[in-house]
Amino acid sequence: MKHCDPADGPPQPGEHETTTMIKDTHCAAPVSGPRQLLVRLQTLGPGLMVSLAIAMASAFIADHYGGPTLLYALLFGMTCHFLVEDGRCLPGIEFASRTILRLGVALLGARITLEQIGSLGLETVLAAVLAVAATICVGWISARLLGQRADFGVLTGGAVAICGASAALAISAVLPKHENSERDTLLTVVGVTGLSTMAMISYPILCKLLGISPEQTGIFLGGTIHDVAQVVGAGYMISPATGDIATVVKLLRVALLVPAVVVVAWMFRRQQASCQSGSECRRIPMVPGFLIAFVVLVAINSTGVIPQVVTSGMNDLSRGCLVMAIAALGMKTSLQKLAQVGWRPIVMLVGETVFLAVLVIGLLFLAR
C-alpha cells in the first residue's frame, strides 16, 4: 500500500481544491477496475454534468425558437465562467473541452462517403482544395499584417475555409497552446457562426442578382457558407436540387478538414506551447488520433456496411459532443478578456469570408 509523504502535510492556504483532491487520490491505496472508474467519474462528473446541461438547454432553445445551437451553448457557457473557479467542476470542464471535442470531430467522418466526393467531379474537388488552401493563407497573411499571432490567422482562415465552428475546434486542438488559446477559439467560433448566419440569408439573394444557375448556386453556397446547418438552410431555401448540391459540396469541404489539420500540425509541431509556471509543454503530434478515427469512419461509411440508423445516430452524437465541448470552452473563457481583443480579429474574419466568396464566384464564372 502506498502511504502519503509526511512532508506533504495539509494543503496550504489558497491551494486549489482540485490539487487537494488529486493529492488525496495519490495518497490512497492503488485502486483498479470498477473502483478506479468510480473515482474517475466522481472527479469528472460535476463538470461534465454542467456541460451537458448547457448543451441540452441550448438544443432545446434552438429547436423551439430557432438559431444556431453552438452559439447558444457558447453564450450560456460564458455566463457560467465562475464554475471554472470551482475545483469540483474544473476537471470535467477540461475533459469536455478536449477529449469530448476530439470525439465529436472524429464522428464527423460518419457524414461523408468517397462516393459523395467522387460525384462532384475533378474540377469541383480541385476548386474546393484551392479555395481552402488560399483562404487559410489569407488568414495567415492578414494576421501578420494586423499584428496578430500567426496561429490565430491559421485558425480563423481554416474555420472560414472548411466548416466553421467544427473546423475551429479541430484546428485549435493541434495549435500551440498559450494563455489566449481558449479566447481565440471562442472568438473564432462566435465570428464564423454569426457570419455564417448572415451568409445564409444574403448569399441566395446575391446568387439571384448575379443570375447564376441553380447548380452553380448550390456549388457557391456549399463552397462558401461556413457551417453545415446554414448551408442546408440556404440551399433548400432555393430548391431541393440546389440543396442537394450545396450539401455535397459542403461535405467535401468537411472532408478537407483532415489534410488541413495534418498540414497545420506539421507547420506548428516544432513550436512548444507557451509554458506557464508549473505547467508542461508538449510537442504537437504529427497526425492526431481523432483525425485517424475520422478517416477510418469515412472509409467504413463508404463501404455501405453501416446502417442508415447507425450513421444518423453517430451524426447526432457528433453534434452533441461538439455542443458539449463548446459549452465547456465557453465556461473557460472570460467575457472581460474576450472584450479586450479589439477590432483586428473581426476585420480578419470578415476579410477571409469576403475573399472566399469572391474566389468561388470567380471560379464559377471562369468555368462557364
Side-chain angles (χ1 to χ4, degrees):
M1 179 181 295
K2 182 178 177 181
H3 298 284
C4 297
D5 187 344
D8 288 344
Q12 298 301 314
E15 189 173 69
H16 204 281
E17 185 177 343
T18 305
T19 305
T20 306
M21 183 187 305
I22 294 172
K23 184 180 291 185
D24 291 342
T25 302
H26 287 313
C27 291
V31 292
S32 59
R35 175 64 178 169
Q36 186 177 20
L37 178 60
L38 180 60
V39 171
R40 182 68 170 164
L41 288 176
Q42 288 176 338
T43 303
L44 300 178
L48 288 177
M49 292 303 294
V50 170
S51 300
L52 179 60
I54 293 175
M56 293 175 66
S58 303
F60 178 85
I61 292 177
D63 289 343
H64 288 76
Y65 300 100
T69 307
L70 286 175
L71 184 58
Y72 289 145
L74 172 61
L75 296 177
F76 291 159
M78 291 170 68
T79 61
C80 297
H81 174 67
F82 65 92
L83 291 174
V84 173
E85 307 298 329
D86 187 343
R88 295 169 299 175
C89 293
L90 183 59
I93 292 172
E94 292 283 359
F95 184 86
S97 66
R98 294 182 182 179
T99 304
I100 292 182
L101 162 61
R102 286 160 172 77
L103 175 61
V105 174
L107 290 173
L108 285 174
R111 296 186 182 185
I112 306 168
T113 65
L114 297 176
E115 182 181 359
Q116 289 173 330
I117 298 173
S119 67
L120 296 174
L122 182 61
E123 290 184 357
T124 303
V125 172
L126 292 177
V129 172
L130 172 62
V132 168
T135 305
I136 293 176
C137 289
V138 167
W140 182 81
I141 293 170
S142 61
R144 306 285 291 190
L145 293 175
L146 292 172
Q148 302 295 299
R149 292 177 60 98
D151 56 293
F152 182 53
V154 171
L155 176 65
T156 57
V160 169
I162 303 172
C163 53
S166 300
L169 296 172
I171 293 172
S172 68
V174 299
L175 287 175
K177 302 302 178 187
H178 51 85
E179 61 180 357
N180 293 325
S181 292
E182 281 83 11
R183 185 199 71 182
D184 290 348
T185 302
L186 266 295
L187 179 66
T188 303
V189 169
V190 171
V192 295
T193 302
L195 289 170
S196 186
T197 302
M198 293 174 61
M200 179 182 68
I201 299 170
S202 60
Y203 282 6
I205 299 173
L206 176 64
C207 291
K208 188 173 183 180
L209 292 175
L210 293 174
I212 60 179
S213 67
E215 180 181 359
Q216 288 182 317
T217 298
I219 294 174
F220 174 75
L221 297 176
T224 55
I225 298 178
H226 310 325
D227 288 319
V228 176
Q230 279 85 343
V231 169
V232 173
Y236 287 103
M237 189 186 302
I238 297 174
S239 70
T242 300
D244 290 343
I245 294 172
T247 301
V248 175
V249 173
K250 181 60 184 178
L251 291 179
L252 170 59
R253 290 170 64 197
V254 175
L256 292 176
L257 179 65
V258 174
V261 174
V262 170
V263 171
V264 170
W266 178 81
M267 289 169 56
F268 290 97
R269 67 192 299 263
R270 293 187 178 277
Q271 294 187 20
Q272 300 292 336
S274 299
C275 293
Q276 306 297 323
S277 57
S279 66
E280 294 182 359
C281 289
R282 61 180 181 86
R283 190 176 293 277
I284 299 169
M286 182 61 184
V287 183
F290 69 90
L291 285 187
I292 297 175
F294 181 101
V295 173
V296 170
L297 276 177
V298 172
I300 295 175
N301 195 34
S302 299
T303 64
V305 300
I306 304 179
Q308 180 62 37
V309 63
V310 176
T311 302
S312 177
M314 294 174 71
N315 287 335
D316 292 340
L317 180 58
S318 170
R319 184 70 173 176
C321 289
L322 292 178
V323 175
M324 277 189 68
I326 203 68
L329 283 171
M331 285 186 281
K332 292 174 63 178
T333 301
S334 168
L335 282 170
Q336 183 178 5
K337 292 182 179 179
L338 196 61
Q340 297 173 355
V341 297
W343 56 270
R344 291 179 177 84
I346 299 173
V347 169
M348 287 172 56
L349 285 165
V350 173
E352 292 154 7
T353 299
V354 172
F355 170 81
L356 179 61
V358 171
L359 176 61
V360 173
I361 282 289
L363 292 173
L364 286 175
F365 276 102
L366 287 176
R368 280 186 168 183

